[in-house]
Amino acid sequence: MSEQIVQEAEVPAELGGKRLDQVAASCFSDYSRARLQEWIKSGALTVNGKTAKTRDKVLGGEQLVLQAEVESEERWEAEAIPLDVVYEDDDIIVINKPAGLVVHPAAGNRSGTLLNGLLYRWPEIDSVPRAGIVHRLDKETTGLMVVAKNLKAHTDLVAQLQERTVSREYEAVSMGVMTGGGTVDEPIGRHSTQRQKMAVTGGGKHAVTHYRVLQRFRAHTHIRVKLETGRTHQIRVHMSHINYPLVGDPVYAGRHRIPKGCSEEVSAFLRGFGRQALHARRLGLEHPVNGEYMEWEAPLPEDMVQLLEILEQDQDTHENL
């Protein structure tokens, strides 16, 4: 059994001068570079109706057409995984993702992911690239994600994300006391020596993060973050870059920052907070079929509520001394 993939894209002017396989990876980001190279070589991916080579340069404005088959053995298994569905209609699903749930299968995580759960609950989305997943949250980040139920919705949502018209607001708890909000406009790419990490780097992709202060504590700050771009680990990398890493971040936070003279309870809670304190609180977008603007909000998960409560208690205790 095989699944037919049919997609089109116009090469953006800013990608003019780049190799076809690089451009294809940008335009058809649901598929790996290696698979796209195979499709270019086989003629399944054409440029202005003609076959081309992977190393051919594009000028910008060309029409790329992808007509390929995905064999069934390349697809993922459906698994019964509990999902918190915030909204559903014929075209989209909005999920409130819990901490600990990987979004997409990869080496080392072949099962037990959000994608496996989506395929079990909605078998029909097997024909949509990546089972309709158009953006991701890190494994330990909680909150809202939108999933496309059909190819039309998928294409439109990918376009909205590329055009940066999807509104994504997060809440986080950072180490350190911020004097005020601001914007981080720094490129993000792979770390030069630690390939599992991302970093602010000159050769990275454009990335913009806006943040504002919701509440200050003695050694921490509760912030609201709005993304303009959606790079891997963007909030975590940007906050660490300006020296306000997220509480509990095992990759980018470094040493714990424990308030001076705090109780053993506060110290133990902060040291034991087992994930980055980051939650995708609000998601807004235009419905991919009827064009109506829609917005959803997911309350903070219990562990972040407890974190804020314990920091507030510590603040109150020391103000009253």
Side-chain angles (χ1 to χ4, degrees):
M1 221 181 125
S2 63
E3 201 70 54
Q4 188 72 22
I5 301 294
V6 180
Q7 289 190 44
E8 296 184 23
E10 182 176 311
V11 177
E14 62 267 23
L15 295 182
K18 290 189 175 292
R19 287 170 33 153
L20 175 57
D21 58 346
Q22 293 175 312
V23 173
S26 176
C27 293
F28 303 111
S29 58
D30 294 305
Y31 307 104
S32 68
R33 175 85 66 90
R35 179 174 285 177
L36 288 163
Q37 287 172 338
E38 288 175 14
W39 285 338
I40 293 167
K41 288 172 186 173
S42 71
L45 198 163
T46 58
V47 183
N48 290 337
K50 298 177 182 177
T51 58
K53 295 178 180 176
T54 57
R55 293 177 177 272
D56 287 352
K57 300 288 176 66
V58 298
L59 300 174
E62 294 94 334
Q63 281 297 124
L64 304 184
V65 177
L66 173 62
Q67 291 183 295
E69 283 189 336
V70 179
E71 297 300 321
S72 57
E73 59 263 26
E74 295 178 326
R75 305 197 74 83
W76 306 103
E77 293 297 317
E79 291 180 73
I81 294 169
L83 298 175
D84 180 4
V85 178
V86 175
Y87 175 82
E88 179 190 1
D89 62 23
D90 291 341
D91 304 294
I92 60 173
I93 308 153
V94 177
I95 302 285
N96 183 15
K97 190 187 87 66
L101 181 63
V102 174
V103 169
H104 192 275
N109 288 104
R110 303 291 294 182
S111 61
T113 72
L114 173 62
L115 184 144
N116 301 108
L118 290 169
L119 287 175
Y120 183 87
R121 187 151 173 180
W122 296 278
E124 67 274 15
I125 65 173
D126 187 57
S127 62
V128 184
R130 292 188 186 271
I133 293 169
V134 293
H135 65 123
R136 300 189 189 192
L137 294 176
D138 296 336
K139 177 182 177 181
E140 299 299 343
T141 299
T142 56
L144 296 171
M145 290 181 58
V146 64
V147 177
K149 291 177 80 173
N150 53 58
L151 199 54
K152 177 177 173 57
H154 181 274
T155 303
D156 186 86
L157 289 173
V158 169
Q160 287 191 55
L161 285 161
Q162 289 174 343
E163 291 161 11
R164 302 182 192 170
T165 57
V166 175
S167 174
R168 289 173 290 169
E169 285 188 10
Y170 295 71
E171 284 191 27
V173 182
S174 281
M175 298 183 193
V177 184
M178 294 183 181
T179 54
T183 296
V184 187
D185 184 348
E186 296 285 357
I188 291 177
R190 287 280 166 200
H191 193 283
S192 58
T193 57
Q194 297 167 272
R195 303 304 291 171
Q196 297 303 308
K197 289 179 69 172
M198 307 302 288
V200 167
T201 172
K205 293 181 179 178
H206 179 58
V208 180
T209 303
H210 305 283
Y211 63 95
R212 70 183 182 89
V213 172
L214 295 177
Q215 189 174 5
R216 296 180 188 87
F217 303 102
R218 292 202 303 132
H220 299 85
T221 309
H222 180 198
I223 57 174
R224 178 162 290 150
V225 183
K226 190 159 187 177
L227 291 182
E228 255 188 57
T229 52
R231 307 304 175 203
T232 301
H233 300 175
Q234 179 171 323
I235 295 171
R236 298 164 63 190
V237 171
H238 271 172
M239 289 300 105
S240 178
H241 179 70
I242 62 171
N243 205 31
Y244 293 104
L246 303 189
V247 169
D249 192 328
V251 179
Y252 302 104
R255 295 176 61 186
H256 294 283
R257 298 186 197 174
I258 308 299
K260 274 188 177 178
C262 72
S263 69
E264 193 55 46
E265 179 194 9
V266 172
S267 176
F269 190 91
L270 288 169
R271 293 179 193 281
F273 199 84
R275 69 177 186 94
Q276 62 268 8
L278 180 61
H279 175 67
R281 175 126 200 187
R282 187 177 285 116
L283 175 69
L285 51 86
E286 289 185 4
H287 190 279
V289 174
N290 63 31
E292 177 190 351
Y293 182 77
M294 306 181 78
E295 194 169 86
W296 301 271
E297 190 165 339
L300 284 176
E302 187 57 33
D303 61 347
M304 284 185 66
V305 171
Q306 289 178 343
L307 173 62
L308 292 169
E309 285 176 350
I310 205 160
L311 291 174
E312 193 157 12
Q313 287 168 13
D314 174 72
Q315 179 98 337
D316 292 343
T317 298
H318 282 77
E319 281 179 356
N320 294 329
L321 287 178

